[in-house]
Amino acid sequence: MDSLFLLQFACFIFMLINAFIVALSHLHVRWENKRYERSRWMIVAALIGLAIQYVLQMTFGFRAMHDNLGAVINILLYTPCFSLISIGIYNIETTRSNLRKMTGKRQGSICHDEQVAYRPLIIW
């Protein structure tokens, strides 16, 4: 086994463990908050997406074939995953007052602001 395969396998295991920990944290919540739960599952989906990306790299050997091909595959798969993580963090950290500051609206509805935040994913 070469070191690239072992590195990808280690990253795959690491992503699955992180997704499991984030998903398991749902059981330790006393009061469920819709915003936090949505963010939690978006982050879990992103981590599972990254794990799938490592499996694809190991199975088909995109990175081992050629660095350019591996970089293109990484860009295609990392971008939606990191967008989900970013939107999940944005959704957790903003409050209603901060949403108004960021969007410049006086009476910003959370629904509209979340739709604006999801637009980069719709493009993909």
Side-chain angles (χ1 to χ4, degrees), residues 75-99:
I75 288 171
L76 289 174
L77 294 173
Y78 279 170
T79 305
C81 293
F82 287 139
S83 295
L84 274 175
I85 291 171
S86 298
I87 292 170
I89 292 170
Y90 171 80
N91 199 22
I92 289 172
E93 295 212 354
T94 56
T95 60
R96 253 179 126 59
S97 61
N98 286 341
L99 281 173

Side-chain angles (χ1 to χ4, degrees), residues 31-68:
W31 299 281
E32 287 189 16
N33 185 339
K34 184 178 176 182
R35 170 183 267 175
Y36 289 150
E37 292 302 313
R38 183 180 304 141
S39 295
R40 178 189 332 268
W41 295 117
M42 286 183 348
I43 292 171
V44 168
L47 291 172
I48 290 173
L50 289 172
I52 290 170
Q53 186 269 341
Y54 286 117
V55 168
L56 290 175
Q57 290 279 357
M58 289 186 300
T59 305
F60 297 111
F62 296 126
R63 177 66 71 183
M65 281 187 220
H66 200 271
D67 285 339
N68 292 338

